[in-house]
Amino acid sequence: MDESLIATINKLQDALAPLGGGSSSPVDLPQITVLGSQSSGKSSVLENIVGRDFLPRGTGIVTRRPLVLQLINRRASVKPQSDLLDINTTSENGKASENNADEWGEFLHLPNKKFYNFEEIRREIVRETDAKTGKNLGISPVPINLRIYSPHVLTLTLVDLPGLTKVPVGDQPKDIEKQIRDMVMKFISKPNAIILSVNASNTDLANSDGLKLAREVDPEGSRTIGVLTKVDLMDDGTDVIDILAGRVIPLRFGYVPVINRGQKDIESNKTIRDALIDERNFFEGHPSYKAKAHYCGTPYLAKKLNGILLHHIKGTLPDIKMRIEHSLKKYQSELSMLGPEMAESPASIALNMITNFSKDYNGILSGEAKELSSQELSGGARISFVFHEIFKNGINSLDPFDQIKDGDIRTIMHNTSGSAPSLFVGTQAFEVLVKQQIHRMEEPSVRCINLIFDELVRILSQIISQQQYSRYPGLKEQLSQYFIQFLREELIPTTKFVTDIIQAEETYVNTAHPDLLKGSQAMAIVEDKFHPKPQVAIDPKSGKPLPPSQQNQHPPQSTSPGPKEDSNGFFGGFFSSKNKKRLQSMEAPPPVLRATGTMSERETMETEVIKLLISSYYNIVKRTVADVVPKAIMLKLIVRSKEEIQKELLEKLYNSPDLADLVKENELTVQKRKECVRMVEVLRNASEIVSSV
């Protein structure tokens, strides 16, 4: 069961390998990432775990691409050999060779090819690295996947990362340190990565670049395990006991001390088998380590890593399953939105887009949009807001008396009565004034049309911002232009209709309107205001009015502050009686003659009557306009656009001679589709793998 779990993760790693293993992969797999400074002994640790010599060696950056190393324990064909140290060696041309039929490597990029010669594996890693990075020591985040089958390994997955470096060497780019750091961070910052931090024990642990980076992403040390190399190179009398006891920099999984082959050992062809025997002897014979020798060395490290990885996989597998399914659904829905590659005729594509657009447009206006937002009003709801909040309040806020002053009413009364002063309140003066004010409603009504136009264009933007429309940018652009052009054409009759409504109100003032205040009522209200009826005294005992003789005992005080009749006539002392010369010479009236002076009581009363009537009629018209203008806009612009837009777009677009050019797919869409097809394929494969667990 345990082996199959690691095998499942290995299969997933292979399945997700086309995604490059970096941040583009939607699934974060549990893996052990090997991290350390250049020349800290990372490669040697890995070779010791595998038990074979297969990694490129040399000075400078040797590992320039991540190496995903999948170790698979496979029984030997002749006799089972469980111990890591039992490697058969045969002499070939006097040189030790460990090649045998039970151990081989396979690369993901070379399917079905088995490498029994581990020298060839090394050459293939170098060749494949150069293929991606060039020979100038550059680096690449695209991993190489290598699988090693052997009876001497524990099933394990490790990712070998480039060693951290400080100074560029040779042709390396100047920012090589940053490039390596960024790449390493991408791998180790994933929550499911276990960090294997390799540190040379003959240097101060506090200066370890590997541990410093591990600390950045794992400050608690909860997913970091330390490896201490070069223990045998420490000065006499010094050891790493304090570090192992967690007294220096504690890590949850602790530290394991190991000994690798030195450069001299490699040059003298010392086998890893011999190196592992020497390692065991060193720890068992060292005074500081012999008590805990079974917790030291490479075999213990491999066993510990196997246990950690298994435990980690068990904990994360349900989440991995969920993530794969979630990502698969996401990419499948994106792929269906992008649609299949263009197999349809241009006419069919145009017809589809026009039909979908008309359907969406009608749906949004009717409040049947596919996605109804709970965050903001949209579509038809915004139009309703324009009609019932903005326009209605705009009309209601019009006040006739912010433009008509009492003096203006007085002047118009004189002008409309002609040469003889009128005996009664003039209907004509009322009509002139009311028409002037009704005309003011035209501007907010036209403004309302423009606001609705803006809202319809907003609906257009809302619809064409959907993924399906961006697939054909040319067609989308043309559709948008024709839609706006159609709306602009419809604005002309709509505006004419609305202005005709206002002009009709202006042309005919319906003084017989049932809601209009009657002239006699207005006169009575004003009369009562200026000449209130005297209060009738009530007998407090009987509650009946007192007889007239007693009423007169308290003559009512005149409460009317109304102006007294002016003896100087309508034009209020235009010619002063003191200036007798001007009176006698009878000078001609001035070029501009205004009614001035204090208004007589009669004038004031007439003005008040007209104001009451204007106010009454104006309120009637306001109600009518606030009701009828939205209906007119609805009829002429909104409903017409709903009914005619499909026909209009079909006429303009469907028969367009440039239709073939318009339905060219967006480059971005083509790229996205390829990406989605790749992701769906990879994730389907991954989904099948995890479903089998």
Side-chain angles (χ1 to χ4, degrees):
M1 174 60 189
D2 290 351
E3 296 291 310
S4 73
L5 274 180
I6 295 181
T8 299
I9 293 297
N10 288 349
K11 280 185 195 165
L12 277 178
Q13 246 159 354
D14 289 353
L16 298 171
L19 309 182
S23 53
S24 62
S25 175
V27 185
D28 171 19
L29 293 177
Q31 53 193 15
I32 296 169
T33 51
V34 185
L35 167 71
S37 299
Q38 212 168 287
S39 307
S40 60
K42 284 190 303 94
S43 297
S44 298
V45 169
L46 290 176
E47 286 186 332
N48 283 6
I49 288 173
V50 176
R52 296 301 297 267
D53 222 336
F54 69 98
L55 289 171
R57 292 192 170 277
T59 54
I61 305 181
V62 180
T63 310
R64 292 186 285 130
R65 283 175 63 182
L67 176 70
V68 177
L69 186 59
Q70 299 172 352
L71 308 181
I72 292 150
N73 179 276
R74 188 179 173 281
R75 285 186 182 178
S77 49
V78 188
K79 59 172 186 161
Q81 297 166 320
S82 57
D83 189 356
L84 194 62
L85 304 174
D86 297 338
I87 296 176
N88 296 320
T89 57
T90 54
S91 184
E92 197 177 89
N93 301 332
K95 188 180 174 186
S97 167
E98 297 176 325
N99 298 333
N100 63 75
D102 290 332
E103 295 176 80
W104 72 88
E106 287 176 11
F107 287 95
L108 188 66
H109 62 272
L110 295 172
N112 306 322
K113 183 173 181 184
K114 293 184 177 180
F115 289 80
Y116 289 98
N117 184 340
F118 279 73
E119 271 297 318
E120 274 185 36
I121 291 179
R122 176 182 291 141
R123 285 196 287 273
E124 180 55 35
I125 291 172
V126 172
R127 194 198 62 74
E128 182 60 17
T129 300
D130 289 345
K132 268 278 185 292
T133 62
K135 303 214 175 195
N136 68 343
L137 304 182
I139 61 165
S140 162
V142 181
I144 297 172
N145 280 48
L146 170 62
R147 188 174 278 188
I148 290 179
Y149 294 86
S150 165
H152 312 298
V153 297
L154 283 168
T155 302
L156 198 56
T157 304
L158 301 149
V159 182
D160 186 19
L161 297 170
L164 302 166
T165 182
K166 295 278 185 203
V167 184
V169 179
D171 294 337
Q172 284 175 354
K174 293 277 179 282
D175 64 339
I176 190 77
E177 182 189 359
K178 183 180 181 300
Q179 280 189 30
I180 292 177
R181 191 180 189 282
D182 291 349
M183 185 206 295
V184 167
M185 287 298 271
K186 258 182 196 166
F187 278 87
I188 66 171
S189 57
K190 293 180 177 179
N192 282 349
I194 293 162
I195 303 164
L196 180 66
S197 177
V198 180
N199 314 280
S201 50
N202 57 352
T203 58
D204 188 357
L205 199 62
N207 292 328
S208 163
D209 292 329
L211 270 182
K212 181 172 175 276
L213 270 195
R215 267 288 154 96
E216 281 184 35
V217 294
D218 179 28
E220 304 294 315
S222 58
R223 54 185 179 91
T224 306
I225 175 170
V227 175
L228 301 170
T229 60
K230 307 183 183 179
V231 180
D232 53 331
L233 302 181
M234 293 179 76
D235 296 337
D236 283 345
T238 60
D239 56 40
V240 288
I241 295 297
D242 277 357
I243 297 173
L244 298 180
R247 289 194 282 269
V248 182
I249 298 173
L251 298 175
R252 179 187 162 193
F253 295 122
Y255 295 83
V256 178
V258 297
I259 294 171
N260 301 329
R261 292 176 305 165
Q263 193 60 35
K264 197 174 168 189
D265 296 332
I266 293 164
E267 284 166 10
S268 64
N269 290 323
K270 182 178 182 180
T271 63
I272 291 178
R273 175 195 181 197
D274 293 338
L276 291 170
I277 292 169
D278 288 351
E279 180 188 54
R280 185 170 65 194
N281 293 339
F282 174 86
F283 286 119
E284 285 176 355
H286 195 285
S288 298
Y289 307 117
K290 62 183 178 186
K292 299 274 186 183
H294 53 292
Y295 292 123
C296 303
T298 308
Y300 172 68
L301 175 64
K303 213 174 286 176
K304 183 163 183 162
L305 289 177
N306 174 272
I308 291 169
L309 186 62
L310 267 174
H311 183 71
H312 197 45
I313 289 170
K314 283 175 183 168
T316 54
L317 207 56
D319 181 54
I320 289 171
K321 275 186 181 179
M322 193 186 76
R323 278 173 189 275
I324 289 173
E325 290 309 318
H326 178 72
S327 299
L328 181 58
K329 276 193 190 121
K330 180 185 133 194
Y331 283 106
Q332 279 174 333
S333 70
E334 201 171 320
L335 192 58
S336 70
M337 284 291 287
L338 292 168
E341 283 187 62
M342 202 171 95
E344 309 164 74
S345 66
S348 164
I349 291 164
L351 182 62
N352 258 344
M353 191 181 271
I354 292 165
T355 310
N356 287 342
F357 177 80
S358 308
K359 198 168 152 195
D360 288 347
Y361 182 64
N362 276 288
I364 288 174
L365 283 172
S366 314
E368 295 161 9
K370 288 177 196 165
E371 292 170 16
L372 287 173
S373 170
S374 61
Q375 306 299 315
E376 58 171 350
L377 295 177
S378 63
R382 287 181 67 93
I383 286 171
S384 172
F385 183 82
V386 171
F387 283 156
H388 302 297
E389 293 295 326
I390 298 174
F391 178 63
K392 189 178 176 187
N393 289 335
I395 289 292
N396 286 342
S397 67
L398 292 175
D399 180 6
F401 303 115
D402 57 10
Q403 290 195 1
I404 305 174
K405 301 292 176 269
D406 288 2
D408 304 334
I409 297 175
R410 180 188 187 190
T411 303
I412 283 181
M413 281 194 311
H414 290 320
N415 285 338
T416 53
S417 62
S419 54
S422 64
L423 292 171
F424 304 104
V425 175
T427 307
Q428 210 175 342
F430 158 71
E431 282 196 11
V432 168
L433 289 162
V434 114
K435 283 177 180 178
Q436 274 178 9
Q437 296 312 304
I438 291 172
H439 184 71
R440 288 171 65 195
M441 294 185 190
E442 190 173 297
E443 192 191 334
S445 300
V446 172
R447 171 92 183 114
C448 181
I449 299 170
N450 292 326
L451 287 174
I452 296 298
F453 171 81
D454 292 344
E455 287 304 323
L456 297 180
V457 172
R458 186 190 173 97
I459 291 172
L460 161 79
S461 307
Q462 187 185 334
I463 296 170
I464 63 173
S465 65
Q466 292 173 35
Q467 183 72 48
Q468 55 176 332
Y469 293 95
S470 56
R471 185 175 173 185
Y472 306 106
L475 193 60
K476 167 184 164 179
E477 184 60 33
Q478 210 58 340
L479 181 141
S480 176
Q481 281 178 11
Y482 285 140
F483 177 81
I484 293 171
Q485 188 184 324
F486 170 73
L487 285 185
R488 286 198 191 285
E489 285 167 7
E490 292 306 313
L491 275 186
I492 300 162
T494 309
T495 308
K496 174 85 174 69
F497 189 33
V498 167
T499 50
D500 280 354
I501 289 170
I502 306 298
Q503 280 171 16
E505 289 288 352
E506 217 180 304
T507 307
Y508 179 61
V509 177
N510 182 12
T511 49
H513 196 287
D515 295 342
L516 178 64
L517 195 63
K518 301 287 179 285
S520 55
Q521 290 171 312
M523 287 294 287
I525 292 166
V526 173
E527 181 68 37
D528 198 44
K529 182 180 170 186
F530 283 99
H531 304 116
K533 288 174 184 164
Q535 294 291 319
V536 177
I538 305 291
D539 185 347
K541 290 176 185 172
S542 63
K544 291 179 182 174
L546 291 169
S549 57
Q550 289 175 346
Q551 291 272 3
N552 292 338
Q553 288 172 7
H554 308 282
Q557 297 293 316
S558 173
T559 55
S560 170
K564 296 178 176 70
E565 193 72 47
D566 197 326
S567 57
N568 288 323
F570 284 130
F571 296 100
F574 189 80
F575 300 103
S576 170
S577 55
K578 290 172 187 171
N579 194 338
K580 284 187 180 172
K581 275 188 181 177
R582 285 177 73 186
L583 286 170
Q584 286 164 358
S585 62
M586 287 179 63
E587 287 176 15
V592 177
L593 185 60
R594 289 195 176 89
T596 56
T598 315
M599 284 165 72
S600 66
E601 184 178 303
R602 181 181 163 198
E603 277 181 316
T604 307
M605 286 177 74
E606 283 184 353
T607 302
E608 287 299 318
V609 168
I610 283 183
K611 278 167 81 175
L612 275 176
L613 294 172
I614 289 171
S615 189
S616 172
Y617 193 74
Y618 202 62
N619 285 339
I620 292 167
V621 177
K622 280 205 285 198
R623 279 201 304 277
T624 308
V625 169
D627 183 47
V628 175
V629 166
K631 290 177 177 173
I633 297 171
M634 199 77 196
L635 171 73
K636 288 288 188 176
L637 187 61
I638 299 171
V639 172
R640 182 154 167 76
S641 70
K642 274 169 79 172
E643 289 173 351
E644 298 295 322
I645 193 62
Q646 189 166 0
K647 181 171 154 244
E648 180 74 16
L649 291 173
L650 280 171
E651 275 176 23
K652 295 266 174 68
L653 276 176
Y654 198 63
N655 301 319
S656 167
D658 309 325
L659 191 58
D661 290 332
L662 291 177
V663 296
K664 278 186 181 157
E665 271 199 310
N666 185 350
E667 266 306 305
L668 199 67
T669 307
V670 175
Q671 283 304 107
K672 258 191 166 178
R673 187 186 296 106
K674 278 183 187 164
E675 180 64 17
C676 279
V677 167
R678 191 170 73 114
M679 289 300 256
V680 166
E681 198 178 316
V682 166
L683 289 165
R684 262 203 197 120
N685 195 359
S687 178
E688 282 170 23
I689 292 165
V690 288
S691 300
S692 64
V693 180

